[in-house]
Amino acid sequence: MEEYPQELRTPPVSLVALVGCPEQHILISTHLNSEQPPINSLALPDLSKISLLLPAKTVNQQPAVSSSPNGILKRDWMQKHRTKIPAVVAALFSSLHVAGDPAQWLQVCSDLDHLKTLIRPRNIKLVVVVVHSSSQDEINEDRLLALRKRAEVDAKHLLLFNPDDPFELKQSLSRLGAAFAELAAIYYRDEARRIRTRIEKKTFNSVDLHVRYCFKVGVYAEFRRDWVEALKFYEDAYHALREMVATLTRLPGIQRMVEIKTVAEQLHFKISTLLLLGGKLTEAVKWFHQHYASYRRFVGSPENIFLHWEWMSRQFLVFAELLETSSATIQNIPSLALGTAEQPLTEWEFRPAYYYQSAARYLKEKRGALELALSILETWNENDSVTEPAVPSIYVGQFSRLLEQGDDLAMQPLTDEEYTHYAIAEGKRFQDSFEIIALLKKSHESYGNLKVRRMASLCASEIAREYFSLEDFNNAKQLFDGVGNLYRQEGWVSVLWEVLGYLRECSRKLGDVKDFVEYSLEMAALPVSSGVDSLHFRAKEHGPGGPASHSQREAIHKEVFGLVSEEANLASNNDLKVTQENPLHLEIDLVSPLRSVLLASVAFHEQIIKSGMPSLITLSLLSQLPLSIEIDYLEIQFNQPECNFFIINAQRSPSDELLTKKQGFRLESAPSLALLTNKWLRLTYDIKSGKTVILLCMLAFLVMPLIHQIHLKHGFSHW
């Protein structure tokens, strides 16, 4: 919305011109600005300068109405009426000149005649103000009457202004403000009526002119604060433009298409603003969806379609900002009548978050379409592009290039090909990813304020993907971690798989071997369903983790086990390495995501273990990895060290280092310590407790060829 010109974003304010007696201008202007509604003012020191403001123009110099205009809306028309063309001119004369000698009086009359000549063709209203030169100043009534007749104004529009009398000053300023407001309203009403007559009599055969005239009537109505009439004529202009689009037998040129959509955008903005200011939230949302539906297929040729997606993104962004800033945004949305049976509306369509998120989605479409346009025009010779700067033309939505003609600059319209080159060059200048991230952050914040965790997490995931594409892996990993936690809680396997794939790749890029191994193990253990996952990934491209399938799980399993094998590390140039000097330790506690990878339990055979008496315990281990794994040894630890013991795999010879390290500890052997997928391995051994206290057990084991320990920090207790 900030990219729109100010005259479009803010309601118009009446404009008056103060001419003569410059020492009074600040006083009068300050008062006019404090009025409700305020009145803006222009100031000229004397009447000899009035031609600078209003060049001479007579009625017969009015241009003939063209049936084939060169554009729809003139770019500077609103600004001109807000800042240059006053509705009222206030001619200020000193009382000394009005009541002075014949020469001074003749000068006053001459100045008035010149002023009337300039304002009459424009229908500008006139107020005459006589400024007292002193508080004791008296002016002859006959001279005042002659002045009023010469000016051809009503008696109430000939005002006396006494700045030296504090009691009179406030009333004088109030009378001035009231006169200006009244005459300005008449001026804008008359201008609107004049143009409305053209519409009613259909003195033209151009849709462009129909749209232009309705737009002007709407603006004049806004000057008068007649919001109902303004809305009506903006809607009439919009419908006329939409009918023109609907009846097109073929797509227009790209510049014409851009112009039509730009005008439609401005009309839509005006209509939406007025609806929201009027508290008509549901009507505004419905109108937005009609606007979206009217132009979503008005896309253009493949090399220019990125302009359409950019336009679509801007529509959603601006409407989100309008919802956010409008007092019509109602918190208790479900109590509203959400559309009709034919056009149902969801609760989210009343929330800015939805529109920010959609704006980001369309900007992604724009980015992809721009890449396509660049590939289409990859043979484009840079020397054939628009070398002169392209600038906005005199009509909204049109562009021209500046040409030097001697000391002057001339504007020459661009061809469609030149405009395409210009638009692509402009598109290349911007990093859309940063804008996408900004939009998604707004959506994420809005959803977060609404306590909608799932939608907020979806936005966070999309932000993380943008960071990932920018190779900002730290920010991406931080966001993906938060999203992954929610997906684990919800049990959403398919989307968790994709997030873990990104996390795994971020860890690889950051050289974090521990996180890489943990994310890889979790992915390999996910219970993906080939039928569901193939359907899930059919509609969209999967992330760096690859498709969620059993074969991909096995591939990840082999990769991570190969990564930490001693032989693979010696031969690999990969930055991710695990060595004897830098071993890797993984801990699986009660809240660890790796509990889905390896599960363990300890069962005491006796409910009560007497001090010094033997008892049996059974250790149960379960792997949910897709391939079997071989354990080198198990270490069972208790809070009573004398109960600790090791279980060695009988099929593997223990290393000398292990035997030296564990010398003096109890050693047991097991025929096999192979963990098959989803099959429990149960081992039973005896223990003897020397104290009557709570007995706690923790498992630690070495998985070959992993050269690290996996600690199952899972406490099992028994008396």
Side-chain angles (χ1 to χ4, degrees), residues 286 338-345:
K286 290 180 180 178
L338 302 183
T340 63
E342 296 76 20
Q343 290 183 319
L345 298 175

Side-chain angles (χ1 to χ4, degrees), residues 451-471:
K451 310 298 183 186
V452 186
R453 291 184 61 202
R454 293 177 178 177
M455 294 303 295
S457 292
L458 176 60
C459 291
S461 177
E462 292 175 354
I463 296 170
R465 287 183 179 88
E466 291 301 318
Y467 279 128
F468 185 88
S469 68
L470 293 171
E471 298 186 356

Side-chain angles (χ1 to χ4, degrees), residues 680-705:
W680 286 96
L681 171 65
R682 292 184 171 86
L683 305 169
T684 301
Y685 295 93
D686 65 298
I687 60 170
K688 183 184 294 184
S689 174
K691 302 177 182 178
T692 308
V693 294
I694 294 177
L695 189 62
L696 299 177
C697 176
M698 184 179 74
L699 304 182
F701 55 93
L702 185 73
V703 182
M704 293 298 293

Side-chain angles (χ1 to χ4, degrees), residues 428-492:
K428 289 169 60 178
R429 290 176 53 227
F430 297 97
Q431 281 279 358
D432 289 323
S433 289
F434 295 115
E435 181 64 22
I436 292 169
I437 289 172
L439 292 170
L440 289 171
K441 282 183 176 179
K442 284 181 173 289
S443 182
H444 178 266
E445 180 182 2
S446 185
Y447 281 128
N449 292 336
L450 295 171
K451 310 298 183 186
V452 186
R453 291 184 61 202
R454 293 177 178 177
M455 294 303 295
S457 292
L458 176 60
C459 291
S461 177
E462 292 175 354
I463 296 170
R465 287 183 179 88
E466 291 301 318
Y467 279 128
F468 185 88
S469 68
L470 293 171
E471 298 186 356
D472 185 348
F473 301 114
N474 279 310
N475 275 323
K477 185 172 181 294
Q478 182 179 356
L479 287 164
F480 277 129
D481 266 328
V483 173
N485 288 334
L486 175 65
Y487 292 168
R488 290 185 189 103
Q489 295 172 21
E490 299 284 351
W492 293 345

